[in-house]
Amino acid sequence: MQANVRIATLDRRAAMATLLADRPANLFVVPGLGSCTWDAFAAGDDDRNFYLWGAMGGAAMIGLGLALAQPKLRVAVITGDGEMLMGLGSLGTVGMQKPANLAVVVFDNGHFGETGMQASHTSGAVDLCAVARGCGIERVMDVGDEAGLRELAGLLANSDRTLFARVRIAADDPPRVLPEKDGVAIKDRVRRAVAKAAGFTPA
Amino acid sequence: MNAVTDTTPAAWQDQLFDVLKRADIRQVGYVPDAGHARLIARCKADPEIRDVVLTTEEEGVALAAGAWLGGQRAALLMQSSGVGNCVNMLSLMRSCRFPMLMLVTMRGEWEEFNPWQVPMGSIVDPVLKLCDADVAKVETPDAVVPAVQNAVQLAFGGDRAAAVLLSQKLIGRKVWVK
Ligand SMILES: Cc1ncc(C[n+]2csc(CCOP(=O)(O)OP(=O)(O)O)c2C)c(N)n1
């Protein structure tokens, strides 16, 4: 696994920008707390981003609940390896439900970047792609270059089965750019966007 | 508890399911507990309800948040020990004012045989209150429906967490030696 860290060179901001560049109107994003939330905001503020400032370990399950509720929408959870590790069991729960409209994308830098870049399990023993496969997720991608990112961006829009992708990003810490912080405002905004995209009336 | 009452659902268990149906609950997350067995079976048998088996109860909190973003109502079924697994994730509900309906089967509070259930069972009520949830405890069959209906209203009408604790007095003593 050491090898993975050495060849993990994708720039996280550029990777997020590539994934969301030609974002279809029905693609909703749940970025994991900390760095991925900053990345998503840096790629362009959007009503369809459910920015997380907490709830570590919950991103994949939030995505699952939304994906099950609205099968015609596309849902991409984009989170850090640390955040994913805290909710590793949720990959099993996702594997049991298998919604075709859900993708779980892990920006894997092998570290807990937000808290001072301490090495995480994915720098050592843990291979998240193997975990995802073992959880019954059939489409698993290991993305290490631009071509892979572009393929992944396409699949976020049209994969016909649940997708897991590990994106090997460099362990760096770009300047923070901070979106809306008020949880109620973030929630209400996303809910209105879902209602518009899916045609329901928010209560 | 004899073999008959062990397998025959009590009337309140089916009434509880009817309350969830009337409330238009569409996703039900659960880590199984014997006291919820009937309700879980009814949910699994209903094509309009997505039953989501969880590896840990906090997943069900995050699931409910996602469901609500998508315009659906969810519920979380768990045993009292599972409340301890939810604590940090409940801050998501409070920070964003998500509705959160929790039905908790109690252990460690009445005729308990397993002392390992007591530490968590005895603090469920204050822990949930500290998490800003409304808590109602039910000890008799006729109190189940009103309590759950009220929790539905508190959660989805008030955008907050509401829990109903189903007492061991209601569920009956766990049969340890058959
Ligand atoms: C329950 C909980 N424990 C610890 C933290 C502190 N914390 C904030 S972000 C984070 C993880 C950052 O790692 P990762 O998800 O890999 O994101 P990165 O910044 O490396 O992209 C941690 C541990 C927290 N917010 N919540």
Side-chain angles (χ1 to χ4, degrees):
Chain A
M1 291 301 289
Q2 291 292 319
N4 291 335
V5 178
R6 260 182 277 119
I7 56 171
T9 54
L10 286 170
D11 175 81
R12 60 183 311 149
R13 289 281 154 83
M16 185 68 86
T18 301
L19 291 182
L20 301 181
D22 297 312
R23 178 175 181 169
N26 68 345
L27 178 60
F28 284 72
V29 176
V30 181
L33 85 166
S35 312
C36 287
T37 278
W38 322 149
D39 295 340
F41 180 64
D45 188 29
D46 198 296
D47 290 358
R48 298 163 295 166
N49 293 348
F50 185 61
Y51 300 117
L52 288 171
W53 287 77
M56 184 167 174
M61 289 302 300
I62 296 169
L64 178 63
L66 174 54
L68 292 177
Q70 292 296 342
K72 292 201 174 111
L73 301 184
R74 310 289 310 181
V75 180
V77 173
I78 306 181
T79 191
D81 46 288
E83 203 280 338
M84 189 74 253
L85 286 161
M86 192 170 279
L88 212 53
S90 61
L91 284 179
T93 301
V94 166
M96 289 290 284
Q97 301 298 327
K98 290 189 176 54
N101 59 333
L102 176 66
V104 178
V105 178
V106 176
F107 275 18
D108 187 359
N109 58 9
H111 290 78
F112 300 91
E114 186 62 26
T115 50
M117 212 53 92
Q118 300 87 354
S120 81
H121 304 55
T122 63
S123 285
V126 176
D127 175 349
L128 289 174
C129 289
V131 173
R133 266 184 230 106
C135 286
I137 298 174
E138 290 156 18
R139 179 167 279 155
V140 174
M141 294 173 73
D142 194 356
V143 176
D145 58 20
E146 269 299 316
L149 276 175
R150 281 193 297 273
E151 187 190 350
L152 174 56
L155 286 168
L156 294 184
N158 62 27
S159 177
D160 61 356
R161 65 195 71 174
T162 313
L163 169 68
F164 177 89
R166 174 173 70 146
V167 176
R168 286 183 256 156
I169 58 162
D172 64 358
D173 196 12
R176 287 187 185 154
V177 278
L178 307 181
E180 173 68 62
K181 188 161 59 174
D182 175 7
V184 178
I186 298 166
K187 173 201 69 174
D188 286 345
R189 188 169 84 143
V190 172
R191 227 170 107 75
R192 277 195 300 272
V194 173
K196 195 169 154 217
F200 77 85
T201 313
Chain B
M1 197 179 238
N2 62 33
V4 175
T5 49
D6 208 17
T7 52
T8 310
W12 66 264
Q13 292 178 306
D14 286 323
Q15 289 162 0
L16 179 48
F17 176 75
D18 294 338
V19 176
L20 297 188
K21 284 296 287 179
R22 279 199 300 278
D24 197 29
I25 301 295
R26 302 296 292 277
Q27 295 187 33
V28 174
Y30 63 94
V31 173
D33 180 55
H36 276 317
R38 174 70 179 172
L39 189 53
I40 292 167
R42 292 290 311 267
C43 291
K44 286 176 80 90
D46 189 314
E48 286 180 342
I49 292 180
R50 187 70 170 232
D51 60 290
V52 181
V53 62
L54 311 167
T55 73
T56 175
E57 290 82 357
E58 68 177 308
E59 289 179 3
V61 178
L63 179 81
W68 184 249
L69 289 178
Q72 282 191 346
R73 293 176 169 197
L76 171 58
L77 316 184
M78 62 185 151
Q79 167 186 114
S80 45
S81 46
V83 170
N85 290 353
C86 291
V87 170
N88 183 53
M89 205 57 75
L90 284 170
S91 39
L92 172 64
M93 310 329 247
R94 185 167 170 180
S95 297
C96 301
R97 292 198 56 191
F98 277 108
M100 181 73 228
L101 177 64
M102 294 173 277
L103 303 180
V104 182
T105 44
M106 291 303 298
R107 293 291 307 275
E109 45 112 54
W110 181 257
E111 286 208 56
E112 180 59 65
F113 174 82
N114 179 357
W116 294 44
Q117 287 283 357
V118 176
M120 189 64 228
S122 62
I123 60 169
V124 161
D125 180 87
V127 162
L128 283 170
K129 284 179 176 150
L130 284 168
C131 294
D132 202 33
D134 183 273
V135 185
K137 187 160 182 176
V138 175
E139 300 191 327
T140 57
D142 57 335
V144 172
V145 167
V148 178
Q149 271 173 354
N150 187 49
V152 165
Q153 189 55 35
L154 283 166
F156 299 104
D159 292 337
R160 60 173 306 195
V164 177
L165 314 187
L166 302 164
S167 168
Q168 275 177 300
K169 290 182 188 170
L170 192 65
I171 295 157
R173 192 176 193 278
K174 177 162 174 172
V175 182
W176 286 89
V177 185
K178 293 196 186 186

